[in-house]
Amino acid sequence: MAEKWIRLLGPPAIESPGTPLPQPRGRKAWALLAYLALQPDSTGRSRTASLLFPDAADPLGALRWNLSELRRTLDGASVTGDPLRLDLLPPWRCDVLEAMYPGAKAGNPRRFTGQLLEGLSFADSPVFDEWVAEQRYRLDNVVQQLLYEAALAALASGASREAAELASLALERDPFHADCNAVLVKALVAAGDYRKAREHAVRCGNLYRQELGLPLPPEVRRALFDATPEPDPGTPATAATVRSYLDAGGASLWAGAVDRGLEQLRLATALAQHTGNSHLVAESLVTLSGALIHQAGGRGAEVADLLHRALQAEGHDGASRTAAAAYRELGYLSVQRGVPDRAAGWLEKAMEAAVGFPDEQARILAIQGMLASDTARYGEAVAALTESGELAKALGNRRQQAFSASLLGRVHLLRGELGLAATWLDRALAWIAEEHWTAFEPFTAGVRGETFLAAGQLEEAAAFIDRSWVMAELAGDHCYMALAAGAEARLFARHGDLAAAEHWIDRGLEPKPWYLWYSARLLDTAAEVTIATRSPRAAGFVERLSELASRSGMREFVVRGQSHRALLGDRSAAEAVPWLAKDIDNPALAAYLEQRHPA
């Protein structure tokens, strides 16, 4: 049976090879189709009618007409119920569904072109117009990531020319994407085209310097010049030797000798390549990438390349601790880089590969909890983080318990459940002290300080927040520096010193953290402070927050961005705030919005 495609990216169309198909009549039918496709949890009829037909004399009647129009054109698909749900069975396929959702196989990312509902506008439905703008940002981010991931996978499989082509397509969307630039350089070097690799690095450096006033990104420089260290020719390439270097690297990292540990793990990886043991190669690559991510702050193309190479070596089928770890780390990178739809897919694969490995399951659940928290699905976050902590407790893994408890404390803080937040964070701090895990302490101390701040205990808050900043700065951890600087800004704002709050905002924005949730939280604080001071910077902060939150699926920050825009006089944003907030179960957010926008 010939496939039937619903194309919602680019000018919308319904297609089947060699067969003309009927098309929905009217832009609102397309709008309804896109809305149902991108609302996997279904949506109520009254809510949908008020969203799409706010000025109609009979909104539900208008909705019924458009539903009948979709049923006429989507023969064999199901659009039924209250709440409404779109169910597509073969031969039906939909481009946005395959791009967005983890259960679908995205396939060739080259076919995802154009914007959502390109060429259509919905000024007569302002709240829906805001929703479309948000989804366009989100989809653009997902497609960019799909191209990047496909380029990495091609590079790992030895298809360097294909990798270069895919990276080039990604750069057409965003020429400033440092990791895509790095992958293109890596691919050209792998293909033996050193001249083109150097030329692209020079062009990239010129672009960054002229447009952003920044030097060539270090990941691009590393892609051009870095070489894998070669072990001593007299060192035997055996499994025993590789595992000895892996053990030595782990011990060095545990002792805080990060550079020495990374050197030993790189040598282990180089030796593993000569053993002919693909599993050992995969294990070495995953161990090295994990060290780069968690001990050296690596988040770019270098570690993603290592992980894709590990998966290529290990194979993709069946339960495997190494594959589970590789998928988990790819999911973790996607969470931190603000691509939640891709993160969910990687973490789903990680859990499938982790059957029988409860230690890996505990780690995966913690990252799933982080993802759910970032996207304002707080009930899911609490469930995942609680289960992670219970597994870690059964295994006697104090560090995992501390990690999961700290994130659980953050969830309760965001929901205004300060007693629960304090309980979990104090437990986490005790476990961190027990483990001498100073690298993670800035996060937990900062969140604990904010819990005191929310409770009005300013002196206690200052002690924890100051400690968080000092420890983050000493470690040079950009993510924790942004977290602590935002907490300092909120502390000074609470004291009424808005000038000092602005100072801390600027300090926090300087490091450019990899974990974009911290950036969004800091921009949210920046918007609040500059709106209060009537600063001309306010509109810029609000715009940056709104774009970042939309691209990254951070639903609560989307709402808060719209709230800021409403205070700056945007009437469409004011209409969108209650509609967007309705899907978020957060009493603290509801109270915040009630105070800012009383009915």
Side-chain angles (χ1 to χ4, degrees):
M1 189 180 297
E3 290 181 343
K4 296 180 180 180
W5 275 93
I6 299 171
R7 307 284 187 188
L8 297 174
L9 294 173
I14 295 177
E15 303 172 348
S16 183
T19 306
L21 296 178
Q23 306 293 308
R25 291 174 294 186
R27 59 193 174 86
K28 289 297 178 76
W30 285 114
L32 176 59
L33 180 54
Y35 183 64
L36 294 177
L38 289 166
Q39 295 289 117
D41 298 327
S42 69
T43 180
R45 285 181 178 243
S46 295
R47 181 172 165 80
T48 306
S50 63
L51 172 69
L52 288 169
F53 312 104
D55 297 327
D58 180 7
L60 283 171
L63 175 64
R64 284 193 296 272
W65 187 89
N66 281 276
L67 285 170
S68 67
E69 186 65 13
L70 292 184
R71 294 188 188 106
R72 179 184 68 83
T73 54
L74 301 178
D75 180 38
S78 170
V79 191
T80 57
D82 189 7
L84 282 167
R85 186 178 183 87
L86 172 67
D87 288 313
L88 297 178
L89 299 174
W92 284 104
R93 299 176 70 180
C94 178
D95 54 2
V96 296
L97 287 173
E98 301 207 359
M100 295 293 272
Y101 298 127
K105 294 188 181 298
N108 183 358
R110 296 174 183 84
R111 55 191 168 84
F112 301 128
T113 58
Q115 284 195 322
L116 177 67
L117 299 180
E118 192 170 297
L120 302 183
S121 61
F122 303 93
D124 57 336
S125 304
V127 177
F128 181 74
D129 209 33
E130 294 287 348
W131 179 85
V132 169
E134 176 195 339
Q135 296 300 314
R136 283 172 175 166
Y137 278 126
R138 179 184 169 202
L139 279 156
D140 183 66
N141 195 27
V142 169
V143 173
Q144 175 87 18
Q145 185 71 9
L146 285 170
L147 287 165
Y148 170 59
E149 290 173 2
L152 284 166
L155 187 61
S157 68
S160 53
R161 294 294 180 189
E162 183 183 4
E165 179 204 345
L166 290 161
S168 298
L169 287 173
L171 289 170
E172 288 176 10
R173 291 172 165 270
D174 179 7
F176 297 101
H177 196 295
D179 289 326
C180 289
N181 278 293
V183 172
L184 177 54
V185 171
K186 277 178 174 286
L188 292 170
V189 169
D193 205 334
Y194 303 106
R195 181 181 60 81
K196 282 188 177 179
R198 287 193 298 272
E199 287 175 353
H200 181 77
V202 169
R203 282 197 302 273
C204 180
N206 291 339
L207 181 68
Y208 266 75
R209 185 173 58 257
Q210 293 165 8
E211 299 295 328
L212 303 178
L214 296 172
L216 179 71
E219 47 266 65
V220 180
R221 186 179 297 106
R222 285 195 297 270
L224 187 61
F225 295 114
D226 274 11
T228 302
E230 282 298 323
D232 188 298
T235 305
T238 65
T241 307
V242 172
R243 294 204 179 280
S244 296
Y245 271 107
L246 289 174
D247 291 343
S252 297
L253 292 170
W254 186 268
V258 174
D259 290 342
R260 178 63 175 157
L262 291 175
E263 180 186 355
Q264 290 163 333
L265 294 179
R266 289 185 191 280
L267 286 169
T269 302
L271 283 166
Q273 303 282 352
H274 296 293
T275 65
N277 184 331
S278 60
H279 173 73
L280 193 58
V281 170
E283 185 181 346
S284 302
L285 289 165
V286 169
T287 304
L288 173 58
S289 62
L292 286 166
I293 292 167
H294 300 291
Q295 268 82 31
R299 297 291 188 276
E302 180 186 12
V303 290
D305 180 37
L306 293 172
L307 291 166
H308 279 272
R309 285 165 54 196
L311 288 170
Q312 185 71 27
E314 182 73 354
H316 299 259
D317 298 324
S320 159
R321 185 190 300 277
T322 300
Y327 286 130
R328 167 177 51 81
E329 296 290 21
L330 286 167
Y332 179 72
L333 292 177
S334 294
V335 170
Q336 296 221 320
R337 300 302 297 273
V339 198
D341 304 284
R342 299 304 303 151
W346 289 122
L347 294 171
E348 185 178 283
K349 288 184 175 182
M351 197 58 85
E352 290 170 359
V355 173
F357 305 111
D359 55 337
E360 260 308 320
Q361 291 170 345
R363 296 185 186 101
I364 296 162
L365 283 162
I367 307 306
Q368 287 178 325
M370 177 190 285
L371 171 61
S373 174
D374 288 0
T375 53
R377 290 174 170 81
Y378 297 117
E380 294 176 26
V382 169
L385 292 167
T386 301
E387 186 178 352
S388 172
E390 289 171 352
L391 277 174
K393 180 181 179 181
L395 295 164
N397 187 337
R398 282 283 194 243
R399 289 199 175 195
Q400 186 61 55
Q401 280 185 275
F403 184 82
S404 300
S406 297
L407 288 172
L408 200 49
R410 187 184 74 165
V411 172
H412 290 303
L413 168 65
L414 295 174
R415 286 178 50 83
E417 298 158 345
L418 303 184
L420 284 169
T423 297
W424 283 109
L425 292 165
D426 286 341
R427 287 179 189 172
L429 286 167
W431 290 326
I432 287 167
E434 182 182 315
E435 289 287 314
H436 307 288
W437 195 14
T438 55
F440 187 59
E441 188 180 348
F443 173 82
T444 311
V447 179
R448 184 65 179 100
E450 293 216 50
T451 307
F452 278 119
L453 179 59
Q457 298 172 258
L458 304 191
E459 188 173 334
E460 293 88 343
F464 276 90
I465 291 169
D466 289 347
R467 180 171 177 80
S468 175
W469 169 259
V470 170
M471 294 187 73
E473 188 178 37
L474 287 172
D477 190 304
H478 290 190
C479 292
Y480 295 156
M481 288 167 70
L483 166 76
E488 293 280 11
R490 287 182 282 278
L491 176 62
F492 278 98
R494 186 68 172 267
H495 280 296
D497 190 345
L498 298 182
E502 282 201 64
H503 165 76
W504 277 105
I505 287 163
D506 290 335
R507 290 190 75 174
L509 290 170
E510 242 176 57
K512 296 180 175 55
W514 283 104
Y515 187 9
L516 294 183
W517 188 88
Y518 293 141
S519 294
R521 186 158 167 80
L522 190 56
L523 287 168
D524 181 46
T525 301
E528 286 187 343
V529 169
T530 52
I531 288 172
T533 61
R534 300 182 183 276
S535 167
R537 303 170 73 197
F541 284 133
V542 173
E543 186 61 31
R544 287 171 64 185
L545 171 64
S546 296
E547 180 177 344
L548 174 59
S550 295
R551 285 180 65 84
S552 304
M554 300 178 194
R555 298 187 306 152
E556 181 160 333
F557 285 123
V558 169
V559 173
R560 295 172 78 94
Q562 296 285 16
S563 173
H564 298 317
R565 288 174 58 189
L567 289 188
L568 292 175
D570 187 325
R571 295 181 63 182
S572 295
E575 291 182 41
V577 166
W579 188 86
L580 291 169
K582 189 175 181 181
D583 288 336
I584 298 174
D585 180 17
N586 185 351
L589 176 65
Y592 172 81
L593 295 175
E594 177 61 31
Q595 182 183 17
R596 287 190 125 198
H597 312 283

